Amino acid sequence: MDQKYNPRKIEEKWQNYWESSELFKVEEDPSREKYYLMEMFPYPSGKIHMGHVRNYTIGDVVARYKKMQGYNVLHPMGWDAFGMPAENAAIANKSHPAKWTYQNIDNMRSELKRVGFSYDWDREIATCKPDYYHWEQWLFLKMHEKGMAYRKESFVNWCEPCLTVLANEQVEAGMCWRCGKPVRQQRLPQWFFRITDYAEDLLAYCDRLPGWPEKVITMQRNWIGKSIGAEIRFPVEGTVTEIPVFTTRQDTVFGATFMCLAPEHPLVTELSKGKQQEKEVNQFIDRMSLQDRSSRAVDTYEKEGVFTGAYCTNPLSGGRMPIFTANFALMEYGTGAVMSVPAHDQRDFEFAKKYNLDIVVVVNPFDTQLDAGAMTESFTDEGVMVNSGRFDGMKSRDALDAIAGYLEENGIGKKTVSYRLRDWGISRQRYWGAPIPMIHCKTCGIVPVPEEALPILLPEDVDLLDGGRSPLPSLESFVKTDCPRCGDSQARRETDTMDTFVESSWYFERYCSPGFKTGMFKKEAVDYWMPVDQYIGGVEHAILHLLYSRYFTRVLHDLGLVKFKEPFTRLLTQGMVCKETISCPEHGFLFPEEVESKDGGRICKMCGATVELGRIEKMSKSKKNVVDPRTLLEKYGADITRLFCLFAAPPEKDLEWSEQGVEGGFRFINRVWRLAREWMNDIEDIKAVSPFTDHPDRLNGEIRALYKTTHATIKKVTTDIEDRFHFNTAISAVMELVNACYGIDGNRDDPLEPQVKRFTLEAVVLLLSPIIPHLSEELWEAMGHKESILLAPWPTYREDALTKDDLLIVVQVNGKLRSRFTVSPDADEETIKSMAMEDERIQKFIHGKPVKKVIVVKEKLVNIVI
RNA sequence: GCGAGAGUGGCGGAAUUGGCAGACGCACUGGACUUAGGAUCCAGCUCUGGCAACAGAUUGGGAGUUCAAGUCUCCCCUCUCGCACCA
C-alpha cells in the first residue's frame, strides 16, 4: 500500500479493471431477483455538468448497493440524441448534427467513465440511430391504426425563433421552454397523440404511485386538471345554431346574462358577418392572434371584448344574452365558450362592470341578501338559490346536481367531465428528429408507410439552412415517393419529425434488449426487467417526460406489448446544484476569476467596482456560477467528487457548492486511507487473521465497544440507504466509526483485538464501497481479497451486538433536564425511579416539595413533576 | 389568486415512533508537532450572565394539547417551487 493516497493512480486502475472484467454486464436470470435502476439519460450537449454528476452518483450508489445485496441489477445509460441544439450547433459550425452529436456522445461517455459509474455500457443506446427510431416509427403506425395518432388542423403554439410548433407542456407561462421567447398561436395541420383518452386513467393511478414524490403527483394531477360540471346548449337568436358551453357552476345558470366566445371560436366571424360590428370584431380577432400568450396570461391583464351583434337565449331563465368575444375565453379549454355569470364569477363580474352588462344574483349567502347593484366583487361561495324558478330556496350545492338533472331531462344539456389536458402535438418542423412515417397522396389522402418499408431514414446528406428551417421539404430525394396504396409517383412524404419527447417515452423498455432486431424490444427481457424499480432525475421533468412515459406505457399495454401500466415504481427527484453568484454593477455576472480581493472587500478586475455577492442559484452558464466537473476530477478525483455530492445534502434537496466541503471530503478519505495503512502495515497481524464475527460477550474493554459500534453502524448505514436514500447521514455514521477507530489505544495482549480490528476495517470499506468505489476496491485488495468488493456481500449486523452495555438515563424535573446517570440494562423501573429520586442534584430541586407524579420511560428518562 | 414544500448555531445539515436539540462536516479559536503549514494530531465552539460550578434563554412569530413539543393542533409571518383568466 502506498504511503500517500493517490486518487489518479487508484481510479485509473479500477476503472480499467471494471471495464475488462465486465462486472456490470447483466443478463436476464429468472432465478435471481432483478432490480432495475435508471437515471434520466442526458442530452448529448458536449460535456457533463455537476447536475449530471450528482444525479448519476446517487443512482450509482443505489446500483452498487443493490448489487452487493445480491440483486441482478440493470443499470443502463444512453443518449437523448435528437433535438434542436445539434441542428443549431451544426449550422453555426457548418457541420452536421450527426457528427456534432456523435462527437459529444464520445466525449461525454469518457467523462462518465471517469467518474466510475457502474453502467452496463453494452446496453448503451442513442435515440438518433435508425435501429432505435425504426421502432418508434413502427409504434407510430400501430397508434395510427388505432386512431391513437391522428392529424388535425388546429391552433398550435408556434415559436418563431425555433421555427417550430411546441406541445402545451413545452410552453411555460407563454414562453418557449427552450429559447424563452414568446409563443404565438397559429393554425397548422399537425400530428397528435390522443393522450386525452387516458386522462382519467393517468389521473386515477396518481393514487397508486406511493413511491413517487407527492409534489410530482400533485403537479400531474393539476396538469390533467379534471373538472366535473355540465355542458349546456344556448340557442342563438334567429338561427338554428346552438352554442355549447362547459361550466362547473350549473347552479348559477339563471344568472348567466351574457356569453363570451374565444376570439378563435369559429362562431365569432359567423355571427358577426354582415352586422355593423363585423369590422370591429375582425380587428379584435386579428389583434388577439398577434398578442402572445404571455401577456394574455398575466394576472393584471385587463379583460376586454367586443360585442358580436348576436344574442342567444338563456335556456333556463329565458333571458336575452348578448354574445361577446373576449380575450379571457380560451379556445383550448372546454368548448371555447363561457356562459358569463357576473354575480358569481369574478372574471365575469369585472367584464360586466366594464361593459355595463346585467348582473343577476342567483345565490345568496346563508346569512345575508346580496344587492346586485351594490356588489363590489362577485360572490363565489355556496349559499341559497334565488331568482332560479323552481330551484329557489335550495342550497346551491344541492342545486348543482338538481339543475344538471333537469338539463338532461329536458335535452338542454348533460353532465360532463372536462380536462385541462389536451392531446399531445408531436409534429416538429425541424430536421434533426425521427421522420413521421406517413405519405400524402393526391388520390388516397394520408397513407401510412408499410411496416416493411421502415425505417424511414432521416437523410444525412443534407445542407442545413440558415435560420434553422428544415431542409426536408425541399429535399426531393426524400419527399418524392410512390403512394403505397395506388402507386402514384407524385406522392409526397410527411416532412415533419417527431417531438424528441417521443424517444424518451420508451427508452427504458429498449434498454432491456437494446440490440433487438425484430421489434421494439424482446418480450421476455421486458417481462423480466420492467417496470423500473427506481428512477432518478430532475424535477423539471415532473410533467413533460414523466407524463408522456406513463401515457406511452398505457398505449403499449393496450397493444398487448407489455403487462404493466406504470413504468416507474419509485421515483426520486434530486435537487439542483447551486452556487453563489457574483455580480458587478457595471459588468453583470462575473466568474470567480474575474474578481480580486482588495482591502478586505472584493472588486471587479475590469472596472474596480465593489462586487455584489448575489443569491445562491442553480449553476448556469449565464450566471457564471458553474463548476466544471472535469476540474474537480482532475484536482481531487472521482471518489471525492462523489463523496461531496452525497454528503453535502440529502438527494432531494438542493446542493450548495462549497470548495471547503470538498476539502472536508478529501480529509475524510485520507483519514480512512491512513487508518487502513496504520492497521495493516503497522499491525501486521490483522492481515493474517479473519474478522471477528462472534458474540460480543467474548470481548472486553474498548474492543468490545468498537465491535458493538461497528454493528450499530452497519445497521444505520443500511437503513439510511435502503429506506431513505439519506447518504449524508450514512456517511456521517461511517465518519463516527472511523473516529472511534482512531480512539483505540490498542492492547497487544488481547488475542482477539486484531480480529475485531479487521472486522471493523472491512465494515468501513464495505459500507463506503458504493459511495467511493475506487478507494474501497483498493483497500479491499490490500486486505488480501482476490475478488472485487462488488462481489462481496453487503455486511450484516448481529442483533445481539446492538444491545448497550449500560444505559444513560436522563432525569427531568417538570420537564427540564436536571441530571443524568447510567444504569445496567436489566435495571427495573422501580430501581431507576429510586435512583433518580435519590440523585443529589435532583434532591436539590425537589427540596422537600411534594412530588405529584413520576414518569419513567424505559431505557430513556425519568420526569419528576412537583 | 390556487396548490405543494420549507424555515433549526457563523455555514451545510442531524434528531426514523412526542422523550438529552444541534450528530457529522465546514468555518473559527487555542494548543502540540514542525525550518515552514493551507499537512497532521489534541482541545474548545448555540446565545446571555459568570473565573468557575452553575443558571437562564433557544428550532420563523404567537397560542394550545401533553408529565414532556423541532416533532401534534390552530392562527400569523417569510422564503422557494409549480400552476396561473381552466369557465
Side-chain angles (χ1 to χ4, degrees), chain A residues 246-284:
Chain A
F246 175 75
T247 179
T248 54
R249 290 297 307 272
Q250 61 272 20
D251 53 329
T252 63
V253 182
F254 284 89
T257 53
F258 59 99
M259 169 76 66
C260 287
L261 304 178
E264 301 89 351
H265 199 290
L267 273 181
V268 174
T269 36
E270 200 181 310
L271 292 176
S272 58
K273 202 166 210 115
K275 301 215 170 67
Q276 64 173 66
Q277 287 86 355
E278 182 174 3
K279 200 176 159 199
E280 203 190 340
V281 167
N282 287 337
Q283 278 171 355
F284 182 75

Tab-separated table of all heavy atoms in Angstrom, chain A residues 246-284:
chain	number	residue	atom	x	y	z
A	246	PHE	N	-69.266	24.755	-21.483
A	246	PHE	CA	-68.949	23.916	-20.324
A	246	PHE	C	-68.901	24.782	-19.084
A	246	PHE	O	-68.341	25.878	-19.090
A	246	PHE	CB	-67.603	23.209	-20.504
A	246	PHE	CG	-67.196	22.427	-19.275
A	246	PHE	CD1	-67.807	21.220	-18.974
A	246	PHE	CD2	-66.231	22.926	-18.394
A	246	PHE	CE1	-67.471	20.515	-17.822
A	246	PHE	CE2	-65.891	22.215	-17.254
A	246	PHE	CZ	-66.511	21.011	-16.969
A	247	THR	N	-69.524	24.270	-18.015
A	247	THR	CA	-69.472	25.010	-16.750
A	247	THR	C	-69.382	24.043	-15.577
A	247	THR	O	-69.893	22.922	-15.646
A	247	THR	CB	-70.713	25.909	-16.575
A	247	THR	OG1	-70.607	26.587	-15.322
A	247	THR	CG2	-72.005	25.107	-16.601
A	248	THR	N	-68.734	24.494	-14.517
A	248	THR	CA	-68.731	23.703	-13.280
A	248	THR	C	-69.767	24.293	-12.316
A	248	THR	O	-69.968	23.779	-11.231
A	248	THR	CB	-67.358	23.742	-12.577
A	248	THR	OG1	-66.987	25.108	-12.385
A	248	THR	CG2	-66.306	23.029	-13.388
A	249	ARG	N	-70.378	25.393	-12.744
A	249	ARG	CA	-71.340	26.068	-11.857
A	249	ARG	C	-72.715	26.131	-12.496
A	249	ARG	O	-73.307	27.207	-12.635
A	249	ARG	CB	-70.840	27.494	-11.541
A	249	ARG	CG	-69.610	27.559	-10.631
A	249	ARG	CD	-69.843	26.994	-9.234
A	249	ARG	NE	-70.993	27.566	-8.531
A	249	ARG	CZ	-70.921	28.668	-7.780
A	249	ARG	NH1	-69.795	29.309	-7.615
A	249	ARG	NH2	-72.002	29.123	-7.168
A	250	GLN	N	-73.260	24.962	-12.862
A	250	GLN	CA	-74.577	24.959	-13.485
A	250	GLN	C	-75.646	25.426	-12.511
A	250	GLN	O	-76.760	25.767	-12.923
A	250	GLN	CB	-74.922	23.581	-14.076
A	250	GLN	CG	-74.969	22.436	-13.103
A	250	GLN	CD	-73.607	21.768	-12.912
A	250	GLN	OE1	-72.575	22.356	-13.213
A	250	GLN	NE2	-73.593	20.539	-12.420
A	251	ASP	N	-75.307	25.506	-11.223
A	251	ASP	CA	-76.258	26.045	-10.256
A	251	ASP	C	-76.526	27.536	-10.516
A	251	ASP	O	-77.520	28.078	-10.049
A	251	ASP	CB	-75.764	25.832	-8.817
A	251	ASP	CG	-74.354	26.366	-8.593
A	251	ASP	OD1	-73.557	26.350	-9.552
A	251	ASP	OD2	-74.050	26.792	-7.468
A	252	THR	N	-75.623	28.175	-11.264
A	252	THR	CA	-75.789	29.615	-11.476
A	252	THR	C	-76.328	29.962	-12.877
A	252	THR	O	-76.311	31.116	-13.265
A	252	THR	CB	-74.452	30.360	-11.273
A	252	THR	OG1	-73.517	29.907	-12.270
A	252	THR	CG2	-73.870	30.125	-9.897
A	253	VAL	N	-76.830	28.969	-13.607
A	253	VAL	CA	-77.269	29.234	-14.983
A	253	VAL	C	-78.273	30.383	-15.067
A	253	VAL	O	-78.211	31.213	-15.971
A	253	VAL	CB	-77.932	27.984	-15.619
A	253	VAL	CG1	-78.311	28.288	-17.057
A	253	VAL	CG2	-77.011	26.809	-15.575
A	254	PHE	N	-79.184	30.451	-14.103
A	254	PHE	CA	-80.202	31.509	-14.144
A	254	PHE	C	-79.575	32.903	-14.094
A	254	PHE	O	-80.203	33.883	-14.466
A	254	PHE	CB	-81.197	31.333	-12.978
A	254	PHE	CG	-82.185	30.225	-13.206
A	254	PHE	CD1	-81.905	28.919	-12.817
A	254	PHE	CD2	-83.408	30.497	-13.816
A	254	PHE	CE1	-82.818	27.905	-13.023
A	254	PHE	CE2	-84.336	29.473	-14.022
A	254	PHE	CZ	-84.042	28.177	-13.630
A	255	GLY	N	-78.339	32.952	-13.606
A	255	GLY	CA	-77.673	34.258	-13.504
A	255	GLY	C	-76.800	34.574	-14.699
A	255	GLY	O	-76.116	35.600	-14.716
A	256	ALA	N	-76.807	33.677	-15.712
A	256	ALA	CA	-75.981	33.930	-16.900
A	256	ALA	C	-76.636	35.012	-17.733
A	256	ALA	O	-77.738	34.832	-18.243
A	256	ALA	CB	-75.818	32.646	-17.701
A	257	THR	N	-75.952	36.169	-17.865
A	257	THR	CA	-76.575	37.310	-18.549
A	257	THR	C	-75.914	37.646	-19.877
A	257	THR	O	-76.402	38.475	-20.623
A	257	THR	CB	-76.537	38.556	-17.647
A	257	THR	OG1	-75.171	38.752	-17.234
A	257	THR	CG2	-77.421	38.374	-16.432
A	258	PHE	N	-74.765	37.063	-20.126
A	258	PHE	CA	-74.148	37.235	-21.441
A	258	PHE	C	-73.261	36.041	-21.729
A	258	PHE	O	-73.069	35.172	-20.873
A	258	PHE	CB	-73.378	38.563	-21.545
A	258	PHE	CG	-72.266	38.743	-20.540
A	258	PHE	CD1	-70.942	38.497	-20.876
A	258	PHE	CD2	-72.554	39.192	-19.243
A	258	PHE	CE1	-69.927	38.683	-19.946
A	258	PHE	CE2	-71.534	39.369	-18.308
A	258	PHE	CZ	-70.217	39.118	-18.668
A	259	MET	N	-72.751	36.006	-22.943
A	259	MET	CA	-71.974	34.865	-23.412
A	259	MET	C	-70.642	35.384	-23.941
A	259	MET	O	-70.608	36.442	-24.561
A	259	MET	CB	-72.766	34.189	-24.548
A	259	MET	CG	-72.046	33.141	-25.351
A	259	MET	SD	-71.896	31.589	-24.477
A	259	MET	CE	-73.603	31.056	-24.367
A	260	CYS	N	-69.547	34.634	-23.648
A	260	CYS	CA	-68.245	35.033	-24.182
A	260	CYS	C	-67.649	33.895	-24.996
A	260	CYS	O	-67.566	32.764	-24.511
A	260	CYS	CB	-67.288	35.398	-23.056
A	260	CYS	SG	-67.681	36.969	-22.299
A	261	LEU	N	-67.241	34.214	-26.205
A	261	LEU	CA	-66.582	33.219	-27.054
A	261	LEU	C	-65.106	33.571	-27.184
A	261	LEU	O	-64.743	34.753	-27.214
A	261	LEU	CB	-67.216	33.209	-28.452
A	261	LEU	CG	-68.716	32.970	-28.533
A	261	LEU	CD1	-69.168	33.035	-29.996
A	261	LEU	CD2	-69.075	31.614	-27.943
A	262	ALA	N	-64.262	32.544	-27.297
A	262	ALA	CA	-62.835	32.782	-27.545
A	262	ALA	C	-62.696	33.450	-28.915
A	262	ALA	O	-63.482	33.160	-29.816
A	262	ALA	CB	-62.093	31.462	-27.536
A	263	PRO	N	-61.720	34.329	-29.079
A	263	PRO	CA	-61.559	35.004	-30.373
A	263	PRO	C	-61.371	34.013	-31.518
A	263	PRO	O	-61.746	34.297	-32.650
A	263	PRO	CB	-60.298	35.853	-30.181
A	263	PRO	CG	-60.130	35.998	-28.705
A	263	PRO	CD	-60.757	34.798	-28.074
A	264	GLU	N	-60.790	32.851	-31.224
A	264	GLU	CA	-60.556	31.853	-32.264
A	264	GLU	C	-61.805	31.012	-32.552
A	264	GLU	O	-61.801	30.191	-33.467
A	264	GLU	CB	-59.423	30.889	-31.846
A	264	GLU	CG	-58.075	31.540	-31.553
A	264	GLU	CD	-57.933	31.972	-30.094
A	264	GLU	OE1	-58.929	31.920	-29.345
A	264	GLU	OE2	-56.817	32.387	-29.717
A	265	HIS	N	-62.861	31.205	-31.772
A	265	HIS	CA	-64.069	30.399	-31.926
A	265	HIS	C	-64.675	30.641	-33.310
A	265	HIS	O	-64.881	31.785	-33.711
A	265	HIS	CB	-65.079	30.784	-30.834
A	265	HIS	CG	-66.141	29.749	-30.611
A	265	HIS	ND1	-67.117	29.503	-31.539
A	265	HIS	CD2	-66.371	28.901	-29.570
A	265	HIS	CE1	-67.916	28.539	-31.071
A	265	HIS	NE2	-67.472	28.159	-29.884
A	266	PRO	N	-64.969	29.564	-34.068
A	266	PRO	CA	-65.467	29.742	-35.440
A	266	PRO	C	-66.773	30.545	-35.511
A	266	PRO	O	-67.032	31.218	-36.512
A	266	PRO	CB	-65.682	28.306	-35.932
A	266	PRO	CG	-65.513	27.414	-34.754
A	266	PRO	CD	-64.763	28.151	-33.714
A	267	LEU	N	-67.590	30.491	-34.461
A	267	LEU	CA	-68.868	31.219	-34.492
A	267	LEU	C	-68.689	32.736	-34.469
A	267	LEU	O	-69.593	33.472	-34.868
A	267	LEU	CB	-69.740	30.797	-33.304
A	267	LEU	CG	-70.627	29.560	-33.490
A	267	LEU	CD1	-71.420	29.314	-32.219
A	267	LEU	CD2	-71.568	29.752	-34.677
A	268	VAL	N	-67.543	33.191	-34.000
A	268	VAL	CA	-67.372	34.634	-33.838
A	268	VAL	C	-67.507	35.359	-35.166
A	268	VAL	O	-68.277	36.306	-35.299
A	268	VAL	CB	-66.004	34.950	-33.169
A	268	VAL	CG1	-65.762	36.457	-33.141
A	268	VAL	CG2	-65.974	34.392	-31.753
A	269	THR	N	-66.781	34.871	-36.181
A	269	THR	CA	-66.880	35.521	-37.501
A	269	THR	C	-68.247	35.266	-38.117
A	269	THR	O	-68.830	36.149	-38.727
A	269	THR	CB	-65.790	35.001	-38.454
A	269	THR	OG1	-65.576	33.620	-38.200
A	269	THR	CG2	-64.505	35.762	-38.265
A	270	GLU	N	-68.746	34.059	-37.901
A	270	GLU	CA	-70.037	33.692	-38.484
A	270	GLU	C	-71.172	34.587	-37.972
A	270	GLU	O	-71.988	35.079	-38.741
A	270	GLU	CB	-70.313	32.226	-38.120
A	270	GLU	CG	-71.328	31.535	-39.001
A	270	GLU	CD	-71.540	30.092	-38.545
A	270	GLU	OE1	-70.526	29.367	-38.356
A	270	GLU	OE2	-72.704	29.705	-38.363
A	271	LEU	N	-71.178	34.799	-36.640
A	271	LEU	CA	-72.275	35.570	-36.040
A	271	LEU	C	-72.207	37.053	-36.376
A	271	LEU	O	-73.230	37.723	-36.460
A	271	LEU	CB	-72.261	35.381	-34.515
A	271	LEU	CG	-72.624	33.987	-34.014
A	271	LEU	CD1	-72.460	33.926	-32.501
A	271	LEU	CD2	-74.040	33.612	-34.412
A	272	SER	N	-70.971	37.554	-36.532
A	272	SER	CA	-70.858	38.996	-36.762
A	272	SER	C	-70.919	39.348	-38.245
A	272	SER	O	-70.998	40.510	-38.607
A	272	SER	CB	-69.543	39.513	-36.162
A	272	SER	OG	-68.457	38.832	-36.745
A	273	LYS	N	-70.920	38.324	-39.071
A	273	LYS	CA	-70.918	38.544	-40.523
A	273	LYS	C	-72.114	39.400	-40.949
A	273	LYS	O	-73.246	39.119	-40.598
A	273	LYS	CB	-70.973	37.198	-41.248
A	273	LYS	CG	-70.452	37.290	-42.658
A	273	LYS	CD	-70.193	35.900	-43.247
A	273	LYS	CE	-69.072	35.957	-44.240
A	273	LYS	NZ	-67.899	35.240	-43.903
A	274	GLY	N	-71.811	40.445	-41.677
A	274	GLY	CA	-72.869	41.293	-42.205
A	274	GLY	C	-73.459	42.273	-41.209
A	274	GLY	O	-74.297	43.094	-41.559
A	275	LYS	N	-73.023	42.154	-39.949
A	275	LYS	CA	-73.545	43.090	-38.951
A	275	LYS	C	-72.636	44.307	-38.879
A	275	LYS	O	-71.504	44.294	-39.355
A	275	LYS	CB	-73.610	42.399	-37.582
A	275	LYS	CG	-74.488	41.148	-37.568
A	275	LYS	CD	-75.206	41.004	-36.243
A	275	LYS	CE	-76.270	39.908	-36.300
A	275	LYS	NZ	-75.708	38.562	-36.450
A	276	GLN	N	-73.167	45.349	-38.242
A	276	GLN	CA	-72.357	46.578	-38.172
A	276	GLN	C	-71.104	46.373	-37.324
A	276	GLN	O	-70.137	47.093	-37.437
A	276	GLN	CB	-73.200	47.719	-37.608
A	276	GLN	CG	-73.648	47.474	-36.168
A	276	GLN	CD	-74.336	48.693	-35.604
A	276	GLN	OE1	-75.405	49.090	-36.048
A	276	GLN	NE2	-73.695	49.319	-34.635
A	277	GLN	N	-71.128	45.337	-36.447
A	277	GLN	CA	-69.978	45.070	-35.575
A	277	GLN	C	-68.871	44.299	-36.291
A	277	GLN	O	-67.794	44.121	-35.743
A	277	GLN	CB	-70.417	44.247	-34.356
A	277	GLN	CG	-71.216	45.002	-33.324
A	277	GLN	CD	-72.708	45.011	-33.649
A	277	GLN	OE1	-73.164	44.531	-34.701
A	277	GLN	NE2	-73.489	45.582	-32.752
A	278	GLU	N	-69.138	43.837	-37.512
A	278	GLU	CA	-68.226	42.913	-38.178
A	278	GLU	C	-66.793	43.415	-38.212
A	278	GLU	O	-65.853	42.689	-37.870
A	278	GLU	CB	-68.704	42.633	-39.615
A	278	GLU	CG	-67.797	41.644	-40.321
A	278	GLU	CD	-68.321	41.227	-41.694
A	278	GLU	OE1	-69.368	41.764	-42.121
A	278	GLU	OE2	-67.694	40.371	-42.308
A	279	LYS	N	-66.627	44.672	-38.588
A	279	LYS	CA	-65.282	45.214	-38.750
A	279	LYS	C	-64.534	45.213	-37.409
A	279	LYS	O	-63.402	44.758	-37.300
A	279	LYS	CB	-65.390	46.637	-39.295
A	279	LYS	CG	-64.108	47.094	-39.947
A	279	LYS	CD	-64.280	48.473	-40.569
A	279	LYS	CE	-62.922	49.113	-40.740
A	279	LYS	NZ	-63.003	50.557	-40.909
A	280	GLU	N	-65.259	45.692	-36.397
A	280	GLU	CA	-64.637	45.787	-35.075
A	280	GLU	C	-64.254	44.394	-34.556
A	280	GLU	O	-63.202	44.193	-33.978
A	280	GLU	CB	-65.612	46.450	-34.106
A	280	GLU	CG	-64.944	47.093	-32.921
A	280	GLU	CD	-65.958	47.520	-31.865
A	280	GLU	OE1	-67.167	47.662	-32.198
A	280	GLU	OE2	-65.541	47.690	-30.719
A	281	VAL	N	-65.126	43.446	-34.790
A	281	VAL	CA	-64.872	42.066	-34.350
A	281	VAL	C	-63.638	41.512	-35.043
A	281	VAL	O	-62.753	40.942	-34.409
A	281	VAL	CB	-66.111	41.173	-34.631
A	281	VAL	CG1	-65.754	39.700	-34.483
A	281	VAL	CG2	-67.249	41.540	-33.694
A	282	ASN	N	-63.567	41.700	-36.351
A	282	ASN	CA	-62.406	41.174	-37.085
A	282	ASN	C	-61.094	41.817	-36.636
A	282	ASN	O	-60.072	41.145	-36.544
A	282	ASN	CB	-62.608	41.355	-38.586
A	282	ASN	CG	-63.646	40.376	-39.110
A	282	ASN	OD1	-63.892	39.329	-38.498
A	282	ASN	ND2	-64.290	40.718	-40.211
A	283	GLN	N	-61.178	43.103	-36.360
A	283	GLN	CA	-59.973	43.784	-35.861
A	283	GLN	C	-59.542	43.174	-34.532
A	283	GLN	O	-58.362	42.945	-34.278
A	283	GLN	CB	-60.245	45.280	-35.673
A	283	GLN	CG	-60.135	46.061	-36.967
A	283	GLN	CD	-60.621	47.500	-36.809
A	283	GLN	OE1	-61.135	47.880	-35.743
A	283	GLN	NE2	-60.475	48.280	-37.860
A	284	PHE	N	-60.542	42.907	-33.699
A	284	PHE	CA	-60.260	42.330	-32.376
A	284	PHE	C	-59.598	40.951	-32.523
A	284	PHE	O	-58.590	40.647	-31.881
A	284	PHE	CB	-61.557	42.208	-31.578
A	284	PHE	CG	-61.367	41.678	-30.180
A	284	PHE	CD1	-60.844	42.478	-29.181
A	284	PHE	CD2	-61.712	40.358	-29.875
A	284	PHE	CE1	-60.669	41.991	-27.901
A	284	PHE	CE2	-61.543	39.864	-28.589
A	284	PHE	CZ	-61.026	40.679	-27.601
